[in-house]
Amino acid sequence: MSDRDSAVAASVAAGVAIPDARQAAEDRGFTPPARLRRVVVTHTDVGAENSPDPVEGAYVLRVAPAETVEVTTSVEVCATGVVRSLRVPVDPVRTAELAAAQAAVEALDGGGVLRGLRRIMAQRDLDALRRAHRAEAERDAAGWAARCARAYEPYVRAFAADDATPPPASAPVLGIGPTNTAGQGHAWARAVERQLPGVRAEAAALTSANTLGYPSDQPIGTDEWLSTRWQLGRLAQVLDRYTHVLAECGMPAFGRLGGSWVDTDLAELRAAGITLGLVLYGSEARDPAAHRARVEFSPFDPRYELTHALQAKVDRLLPILRELDVPTFVATPDLIADVPNAVWLPAALDPAEWRAETPPLTRKRPVVVHVMTSPFLRGTARIEPTLRRLHDIGLIEYRRILNRPAAELPALFADADVVLDQFACGAYGMTSCRSMAAGRLTICYLHESATEHLPADLPIRAADPTSLADVLEQVVAEPDAARALAARGPAYVAEHHDGRRSARVLADFLGVAAE
């Protein structure tokens, strides 16, 4: 066992405060923002209920033996402190017996005399098991305490400290995550670091949602996301490292420690003095029924099962997000119709990465590319018959881009003449930004719910599923006009999507002045 492991084990046994990264930073001459000090209190008494009394200015982790085979956790938050009760299985055999006995009692819930008598007997069996377990632990108190310490140690270690160097007190640190959709969490993090002096930012990304390989500062595996041990470590990291958290898609800040959505983390974040904001991308906030009522080419046909699944998600989640009453940003401006208090946070990218040397539309048969990252939401089924017909008659060369790694996309865009974004939702997204940065002719369906928030000089050729064929035929017939429109794309992206505007939008949230 290392010196650090021995120290952690000793702190578990003693039930004392454990140093966090703030103290380590102070020892090195830093003065990080005030944070809740973290305290661990351990118990070895079996089945005892511990009063969750918050300690002023502290985040208390109370650890005790569990009666279930799984680690369980609950939290109590007040204005001055937080108490999280953690139950950890210590004796697998006894824990399994207790869990089975508890399940037998719960299975007999309900009315009826016979059921009530059986419930009384089952409760007596459970009580007898608890007494036997407690007596066994008391007979070998030292051995039981050692077993508890070994069981608790990984969770206390995770909760103990974050090894990252905290920032000076005056410098905000922003944590973004956990989806990194289209690499935007990472791009916004880099943008605020470049454009807002002194601000630091990090982006976390669930690997299950980042299958195309976009960069992130902290990849999160699915097993980690669901692990109580990892969640406690993430909690420690957030408490030590961040002054602001931007929750993507309304997902929680501490993994599934509190629940499925970030509303369960809000009280803890506020108690720790950490500011929460939301950034929404689409399906978690776009109301299919309302969208269908206002957008002519809406993809949310009630005949489709996916429409009902997305409607159920929004009906459940959108009221939660609206009631949070925290700063809210949306990745595309059409979402303001569903979240009226939201602010558009423009997508960010590095224009140099997408710059193409060759001009578009110099070939007799232009290459037309459609990126199919989400065919349902992009209206792919509505436009592909048109594209295949024009391909078959030799007017265009149609190419589909489906699930290609992020690193391959710049070359694929550079080899295109025309890039098609979406033809259903009504707003341009990352595909259009990349296409404009590459100087390609960009065609997209734009609805007024988006265009009312967009600059008037947007260099995108508007089309919808019914007009796309005519637009492409005109592009082929008049390539000079199309090239001129495409040539305006790089300057537009440099002004609105190179990260500077995104950083300005986030400056107020971070409490700093934008240059």
Side-chain angles (χ1 to χ4, degrees), residues 148-215:
C148 288
R150 287 194 297 270
Y152 302 160
E153 190 271 342
Y155 302 96
V156 175
R157 183 212 298 266
F159 182 73
D162 175 28
D163 293 330
T165 302
S170 60
V173 180
L174 172 64
I176 307 175
T179 64
N180 195 37
T181 304
Q184 282 306 285
H186 184 265
W188 287 323
R190 299 292 77 76
V192 299
E193 288 189 331
R194 287 193 307 268
Q195 303 299 326
L196 305 178
V199 175
R200 289 174 51 199
E202 294 178 337
L206 279 162
T207 54
S208 59
N210 193 29
T211 56
L212 299 182
Y214 291 106

Side-chain angles (χ1 to χ4, degrees), residues 371-418:
V371 182
M372 300 173 57
T373 51
S374 181
F376 178 78
L377 297 175
R378 287 178 175 271
T380 299
R382 290 177 174 174
I383 64 171
E384 275 215 315
T386 295
L387 297 172
R388 294 195 180 282
R389 178 177 64 81
L390 297 179
H391 175 92
D392 291 342
I393 66 175
L395 187 72
I396 64 171
E397 180 182 338
Y398 172 49
R399 297 177 185 173
R400 308 166 87 196
I401 297 179
L402 178 62
N403 295 331
R404 301 296 288 271
E408 296 181 9
L409 293 179
L412 294 173
F413 276 57
D415 194 38
D417 295 293
V418 178

Side-chain angles (χ1 to χ4, degrees), residues 286 291 295 297-300 334 377 422-427 445 447 449:
R286 186 180 287 114
H291 192 270
V295 178
F297 298 99
S298 173
F300 302 115
D334 62 304
L377 297 175
Q422 60 74 37
F423 292 82
C425 285
Y445 171 51
H447 185 262
S449 60

